[in-house]
Amino acid sequence: MKEFAPPPPRADGRVNLVGLSRDDLEAEVAKAGLERFRARQLWHWIYHRGATDFAVMSTLAKPVREKLADLYVIDRPTAVKDLKSEDGTRKWLARMPDGQEIETVHIPEEDRGTLCVSSQVGCTLTCRFCHTGTQRLVRNLDATEIVGQVMLARDHLDEWPAPPDGRMLSNIVMMGMGEPLFNYANVAKALKIVMDGEGIAISKRRITLSTSGVVPMMRQCGDELGVNLAVSLHAVNDELRDRIVPLNRKYPIKELMQACRDYPGLSNARRITFEYVMLKGVNDSLADARELVRLLRGIPAKINLIPFNYWPGAPFECSTDEQITKFANFVNNAGYASPVRTPRGRDILAACGQLKSESTKPTAQARIAALEAHKALQAEYAAQVAEKEAVLAATGTL
């Protein structure tokens, strides 16, 4: 997988503490000349209390807070748009410090609140039914930006610190923009932070990672994270899946099904979810339903049937309600739960397969100009720091 450049450092030289693991935080406080236990205090304030300003960290002495503010920030992505659907679904267009944008969606339900989190700016997979797939991959999100989406949502839901029960944000699905297993290192680091019981504390049982079938990474995901797995299947033979999910040409259905059977921790109590978007006249026949049942034989599974959500220029139509019902009944009668997902947020293009931002990959000339501007700001900041240190040294307060 080709590496895509992470966002550049801040122009003022300060480090963002969001997205840092416990070990990372310990390394930073040591670098700052502070005691090791300060990392535990920072973890609590950042990931449990949701603090964005060192000044509110009342368990830290004032000189420590001031030193931290000189060296660090606690930033999230900026919500440049906050759209609310008539059904209560909420979508944020989140802008990163380098100007790139992604979309994050909160779906409230009676017994839970699910946040759909993005892992990349754009996507490399070009699945033909997915709006995100029409946007070229710009870059991977780093752990800061992935965790930052969760924190941004909790900011807007006014959920710091989280209540012990009845959370408005109780579940996470890595089903937003991008393929999570093509950005595994950053996704894994972010999810470990989210799952930490002394911070955001969302259990791995409430986190689902959705993949289009990156076979080599599936076992590692199960071994290291233990989260629920969802597989975007959408077709029951290689000929069709090659066309609508091009990744299938590299990892065909037979290999994908074996990787599912081998997924660590798989059991009747912990099933794989297979996502299947219903495309009129394409994959919705009873013959397709019959083959789907045959494919999944022996795999503890459930099937989420997803009515196709239209987006501008989409080359497909949604299957009729009647055909979806026939398909679902056949699969149900064969012993596999096959709920039909109720479309949420269609009116704000927040439903499954509708996410997209206007971010584009910068030209080489633009990247050079941005780098030169960044260097100039860094030099200016370094001069300001040197001047400040000289004054403090002269007055004996350094």
Side-chain angles (χ1 to χ4, degrees):
M1 175 62 185
K2 183 180 177 181
E3 291 296 325
F4 288 82
R10 287 175 56 93
D12 63 9
R14 292 188 293 172
V15 173
N16 189 2
L17 296 183
V18 171
L20 299 190
S21 66
R22 287 183 180 273
D23 289 344
D24 292 337
L25 274 178
E26 287 188 4
E28 286 297 334
V29 299
K31 192 187 302 182
L34 299 173
E35 304 90 335
R36 185 176 178 180
F37 73 87
R38 298 297 184 191
R40 295 195 300 275
Q41 292 177 314
L42 284 169
W43 184 275
H44 174 81
W45 281 103
I46 294 169
Y47 296 125
H48 180 72
R49 301 297 295 265
T52 58
D53 187 343
F54 294 104
V56 305
M57 298 183 179
S58 55
T59 55
L60 282 71
K62 186 177 180 182
V64 173
R65 299 198 301 265
E66 290 174 346
K67 186 168 191 176
L68 289 168
D70 282 341
L71 298 172
Y72 303 108
V73 293
I74 311 168
D75 279 350
R76 292 93 153 95
T78 303
V80 293
K81 287 185 183 177
D82 182 352
L83 304 177
K84 192 166 184 180
S85 167
E86 58 187 14
D87 63 25
T89 299
R90 202 161 169 184
K91 181 173 79 169
W92 295 284
L93 177 66
R95 181 173 294 160
M96 310 303 154
D98 64 351
Q100 303 293 358
E101 296 174 341
I102 50 92
E103 294 190 319
T104 307
V105 177
H106 180 255
I107 306 163
E109 300 176 69
E110 284 189 13
D111 60 342
R112 70 182 66 186
T114 301
L115 189 70
C116 184
V117 176
S118 295
S119 57
Q120 296 178 312
V121 183
C123 189
T124 190
L125 294 182
T126 64
C127 297
R128 293 198 62 224
F129 51 83
C130 180
H131 199 198
T132 311
T134 66
Q135 178 183 347
R136 294 179 64 184
L137 180 61
V138 177
R139 66 170 174 82
N140 288 331
L141 297 178
D142 65 12
T144 295
E145 296 163 325
I146 297 169
V147 175
Q149 293 172 68
V150 181
M151 302 178 83
L152 179 153
R154 290 184 66 178
D155 290 344
H156 284 261
L157 296 170
D158 194 22
E159 204 167 35
W160 295 107
D165 49 43
R167 288 186 180 198
M168 294 178 70
L169 198 171
S170 61
N171 293 59
I172 287 176
V173 290
M174 295 299 306
M175 294 183 186
M177 297 169 60
E179 164 55 63
L181 294 186
F182 275 160
N183 186 21
Y184 179 74
N186 286 315
V187 168
K189 183 177 181 180
L191 290 183
K192 287 174 183 176
I193 292 170
V194 168
M195 292 187 287
D196 190 289
E198 295 180 356
I200 295 173
I202 296 178
S203 164
K204 64 183 179 182
R205 302 300 182 197
R206 290 182 173 270
I207 298 176
T208 298
L209 183 146
S210 177
T211 179
S212 290
V214 185
V215 167
M217 298 303 301
M218 289 167 61
R219 174 173 282 278
Q220 184 177 353
C221 173
D223 282 336
E224 294 183 358
L225 299 178
V227 296
N228 301 311
L229 184 70
V231 174
S232 295
L233 186 59
H234 311 305
V236 295
N237 61 72
D238 286 326
E239 181 183 2
L240 176 59
R241 199 165 190 267
D242 282 352
R243 286 195 287 119
I244 65 174
V245 185
L247 184 65
N248 193 73
R249 297 169 192 161
K250 188 168 187 178
Y251 307 115
I253 289 176
K254 184 178 179 180
E255 292 181 27
L256 176 58
M257 291 300 105
Q258 189 58 53
C260 291
R261 288 184 171 87
D262 295 340
Y263 190 70
L266 189 62
S267 68
N268 286 328
R270 187 160 175 253
R271 298 170 291 173
I272 290 178
T273 297
F274 288 90
E275 297 160 329
Y276 196 94
V277 65
M278 300 298 292
L279 304 172
K280 184 177 181 180
V282 176
N283 65 353
D284 62 350
S285 70
L286 288 183
D288 289 311
R290 189 175 297 109
E291 181 62 13
L292 177 61
V293 169
R294 190 195 67 78
L295 269 181
L296 301 185
R297 190 167 294 135
I299 302 176
K302 76 171 184 177
I303 299 92
N304 265 354
L305 300 179
I306 306 170
F308 173 66
N309 296 302
Y310 180 79
W311 40 269
F316 300 107
E317 295 180 53
C318 182
S319 304
T320 65
D321 290 344
E322 179 184 9
Q323 191 61 26
I324 292 174
T325 299
K326 287 180 180 178
F327 194 106
N329 287 343
F330 184 94
V331 177
N332 266 311
N333 291 338
Y336 291 96
S338 53
V340 178
R341 185 182 294 175
T342 302
R344 301 290 300 274
R346 275 180 168 175
D347 55 318
I348 57 170
L349 289 180
C352 183
Q354 290 184 319
L355 303 188
K356 185 180 178 182
S357 74
E358 297 303 316
S359 292
T360 56
K361 203 165 187 179
T363 63
Q365 185 177 1
R367 288 197 301 271
I368 292 169
L371 181 61
E372 292 304 318
H374 176 70
K375 287 179 178 177
L377 284 169
Q378 280 188 317
E380 182 182 347
Y381 177 72
Q384 290 173 353
V385 171
E387 182 180 353
K388 181 178 179 181
E389 288 179 347
V391 170
L392 292 173
T395 58
T397 56
L398 185 61

